[in-house]
Structures are given as structure tokens and as C-alpha cells.
Amino acid sequence: MLAAGLLLAADSLLAASPVLAQGGPPAPPVSVSEPIAKRVVQWDEYSGRFEARAIVEIRARVSGFVEKLHFKDGQWVKEGDRLFTIDKRPYEIAVESATADVARNKATVDLAELQVQRGAALVASRNIPEAENDTRKSNLAVAKAQLKAAEASLHNAQLNLEWTEVTAPLAGRISDRKVDPGNLIQGGQQGATLLATIVSTDPVYFLFDVSEADHLRYQRLQLMGVRTQANSTSIPVRIKLADETEWKRLGAIDFVDNVLSPRSGTIRTRALVDNRDHLLTPGVFARVQLYGGEYDALLIPDSAVVSDQAHKIVFVVNKDNVVEGRPVTLGPIYEGLRVVRDGLKSEDRVVLDGLANPMVRPKAKVNPEPGKITANAE
């Protein structure tokens, strides 16, 4: 009776234990979830550098001794700010001399006009011949021409006097001075002494190179009406500096070159970027994201992707609760999730965790449990 009871208890234990009944361990539990289907905005990333929108060399238009300096090396200047003062005295004398020439020629014109008026009356009374009156008219015309020449010389002298104040032609940051007060400088259109340089800082250009494949893709999107024209200022860009984690700085494309480089297979592209805080210095390198259109995609956690020697693979659980490996084509990270361009369906149950378990492999039986994929809005 005791033996029969033990046998009956053993049969009951086998019936109650799935492990012993099936002859193996139970199916491991795994979290699964369908991928998120979403319209994705594509941002293509490139490296580039900032460049000043304008660089101007400050040179004097007139020669003379530098009398005063009105800025500190490296300071920010506004358009029209005084930078250098050249000794004015020679040019003030030239203005006074030109003013005297104008006065003298005005007197000559007044006299010539009076003689012409008198000549007209004398011709009418036949006291002088017509020829003499014609000479008086000619002398008046010459006097008026000389007056205009004297006035032009006065304007030139006044302009030279004005140019003794060297001002900033644009707003920006000035370099260090190249000459000190007391130095004699050369002015004019050729051989003028370099005094300083100014670079504009707001806004600034950001230059980067776009690959031939991306350029062709952008052109096709433009032909389909999905993307605006390549040189349109409505194409946005986002920029991130080396020490930044977010794409805070915004700009827009304002120029695309008209030829591709035959050596690099890229085309030069330029964006205009606001620089109100003056942090973006010409020559600094950064990363840029260029708007590349929109497309429908599936989003999954990046941790759900595994690799073999040739492919990226995502594990899914089929209707029989068996794990399958799906080769996938991946895109960028979007809202904290990995974009899957191809290889998955919206109804697939993707394995979210348990990948480290050696039992979770293709053809393995698993116990799927509902999980959740959450996107982080950018």
C-alpha cells in the first residue's frame, strides 16, 4: 500500500510540473512590442566650419601721419565708428586754397557776365562790332568752366579732408592695429598701408560639403515637389558645436555651388546662421544637420538591434511564439529611437529585452509578454 501511494504521488507531481512533463526548462519570458509607425523628418549630418560673411582690410585713402587711435585691439565696432585720425593740417590748407580759387573764379565770372551785358548794349548802339561781343561771350563761358573746375577741386580737397578720419565700413570685430600713432602711412588706391582688418560676426556663414549621392537625392526630391529648391532660403539647418549636445543653432541654406568637385565628388554648400551671442568664431568646426525631407518609418529601441558579420538583425516573435531573426536596414536615431527603413512590418512583435539570454535566439520558443516602446520628442 505504501509503494502504491508513493507511485501515485510521483505521477501527480509529474502532471503538475511543466518542466518535468516536457522534459526541459520553461520558455523564457521576453518583452515584445510592435514598432512605432511614424512620419520621420530626415536630417542629414555633415561636418563644416564657420566663415565670416565679410572681411575688410582697413586702409587709408590719403597719406599722412597717424595722429590718433580710437579703438582697442580686438574690440567690437559699429559701422561708422572712428578708427584712425590722420594729421588734418595739410588737407585743411588744401581746402582753404581751393576755396580761394572758387572765390576768384566767381569774381571772374561776375566780371565776364557784366561785360557781356554791356557788350550787348554797345552792339545795339553800334559802338563795338559783333566780333568783340562774341569774344566777351567766349570769355564768360571760359570763366564759368574754370569756376566749375575750381569747385571740383574744392570738393576733392573737402573729400580728402573727410578721409583723414578712417571709419569702420561695417560692424564686426576689429583685429589688432598694424600701425601706431606717429607713423607715416601711405594712402591711395595702390600701395596703401594696411591699418587693421574687420570681420563681420552676425550673421556668419557655415560652409560644408554635400556628397554627390545626397545632392542627387535632394535634386530628385525637389523635382518631385517634396523639397524646395537647393538654393532656397527656406531649407533649414541645425548646428551643434563640439562641446554641445543639442542642435540649438538654427540657420538656412543661402548658396549651393554650381559644380561638383571632380576630386572629392562633393558640392560646396553654405548656410547663413545667426550669431547674436558672438560665440561662433570664423574658422571653428562644427556639425550641421541639413533637412533631407520626410518619409514613413518604423521606430524601435536601438538596444533591440544586434549584429552579425554582415547584417543588422532584429529578433521578432512569430505567431507560434518562436523567435525569428530579421535582417533590417537602419536609419538614424529619431526621438531617441532607431529608424528602421526596411526589414520590419508594423505588426511584427519585436523582442525588447532578453537579448542577453542565450536562450533567446532564432528558433527558440519564448513566452512573450507585452512591452512598450516610448519615443522622446526632440
Side-chain angles (χ1 to χ4, degrees):
M1 292 294 293
L2 179 60
L6 291 174
L7 183 59
L8 181 60
D11 290 340
S12 300
L13 181 62
L14 286 172
S17 174
V19 176
L20 297 177
Q22 297 176 7
V30 295
S31 295
V32 298
S33 176
E34 295 179 353
I36 297 177
K38 197 166 188 178
R39 187 76 174 172
V40 172
V41 178
Q42 178 169 334
W43 292 91
D44 301 321
E45 290 191 22
Y46 306 94
S47 294
R49 62 181 177 83
F50 293 101
E51 186 176 279
R53 192 178 184 187
I55 302 176
V56 177
E57 294 182 342
I58 306 301
R59 301 177 187 269
R61 299 186 183 185
V62 292
S63 303
F65 284 94
V66 177
E67 194 173 69
K68 291 181 181 178
L69 183 69
H70 301 282
F71 68 93
K72 293 182 179 180
D73 294 346
Q75 79 173 57
W76 304 98
V77 297
K78 300 177 183 178
E79 182 179 353
D81 284 354
R82 287 195 303 171
L83 304 177
F84 297 89
T85 297
I86 300 172
D87 187 6
K88 300 176 179 288
R89 291 172 295 180
Y91 300 98
E92 290 172 343
I93 294 172
V95 169
E96 292 175 358
S97 177
T99 302
D101 287 340
V102 170
R104 183 176 62 252
N105 281 278
K106 281 185 176 180
T108 303
V109 169
D110 292 341
L111 178 60
E113 287 179 343
L114 184 58
Q115 289 178 343
V116 169
Q117 293 174 1
R118 290 175 178 175
L122 292 174
V123 168
S125 61
R126 297 189 178 184
N127 289 324
I128 60 171
E130 279 285 341
E132 184 176 344
N133 193 44
D134 292 339
T135 300
R136 294 184 179 187
K137 292 180 180 179
S138 176
N139 291 338
L140 175 59
V142 171
K144 288 182 177 180
Q146 290 175 342
L147 175 59
K148 289 186 178 180
E151 289 174 343
S153 297
L154 175 59
H155 292 159
N156 184 63
Q158 291 171 336
L159 190 58
N160 287 336
L161 178 60
E162 181 182 337
W163 282 342
T164 58
E165 294 287 354
V166 181
T167 60
L170 76 164
R173 189 177 182 186
I174 195 167
S175 69
D176 60 332
R177 62 187 182 276
K178 308 304 180 184
V179 295
D180 293 311
N183 283 285
L184 177 63
I185 62 169
Q186 179 67 35
Q189 296 181 354
Q190 294 182 347
T193 305
L194 177 63
L195 304 179
T197 58
I198 296 178
V199 295
S200 63
T201 55
D202 183 28
V204 294
Y205 287 139
F206 186 81
L207 276 72
F208 59 99
D209 295 323
V210 173
S211 67
E212 181 178 352
D214 286 344
H215 176 66
L216 289 174
R217 176 163 55 88
Y218 297 151
Q219 293 296 96
R220 294 188 186 281
L221 289 174
Q222 185 265 323
L223 291 175
M224 293 188 305
V226 177
R227 188 176 188 269
T228 53
Q229 193 172 354
N231 59 354
S232 171
T233 56
S234 63
I235 300 178
V237 297
R238 305 188 300 191
I239 296 176
K240 180 175 68 175
L241 300 179
D243 62 344
E244 295 177 339
T245 58
E246 298 180 1
W247 305 89
K248 298 179 181 178
R249 305 185 180 276
L250 305 179
I253 298 297
D254 79 322
F255 168 76
V256 177
D257 209 346
N258 55 1
V259 293
L260 274 83
S261 170
R263 292 186 177 182
S264 63
T266 59
I267 189 166
R268 189 166 59 100
T269 308
R270 188 181 71 193
L272 193 62
V273 183
D274 288 333
N275 188 27
R276 295 173 185 173
D277 57 3
H278 300 295
L279 181 63
L280 307 178
T281 305
V284 170
F285 282 82
R287 295 284 293 173
V288 63
Q289 286 186 333
L290 174 62
Y291 175 75
E294 299 181 6
Y295 58 92
D296 295 320
L298 300 177
L299 304 179
I300 62 173
D302 201 31
S303 58
V305 181
V306 296
S307 302
D308 64 8
Q309 294 181 348
H311 303 93
K312 297 292 185 180
I313 297 175
V314 173
F315 289 153
V316 299
V317 178
N318 63 18
K319 62 182 180 179
D320 298 322
N321 294 339
V322 175
V323 176
E324 296 179 354
R326 297 279 180 85
V328 293
T329 302
L330 301 180
I333 294 291
Y334 183 80
E335 295 185 353
L337 300 175
R338 176 64 66 179
V339 172
V340 179
R341 294 181 181 270
D342 191 26
L344 279 183
K345 298 179 181 178
S346 60
E347 64 270 15
D348 285 336
R349 295 185 295 173
V350 177
V351 177
L352 303 181
D353 57 13
L355 297 179
N357 189 335
M359 299 300 294
V360 182
R361 290 295 180 265
K363 299 183 180 180
K365 188 86 171 179
V366 295
N367 181 24
E369 298 179 349
K372 186 177 181 180
I373 300 175
T374 304
N376 299 322
E378 293 183 340

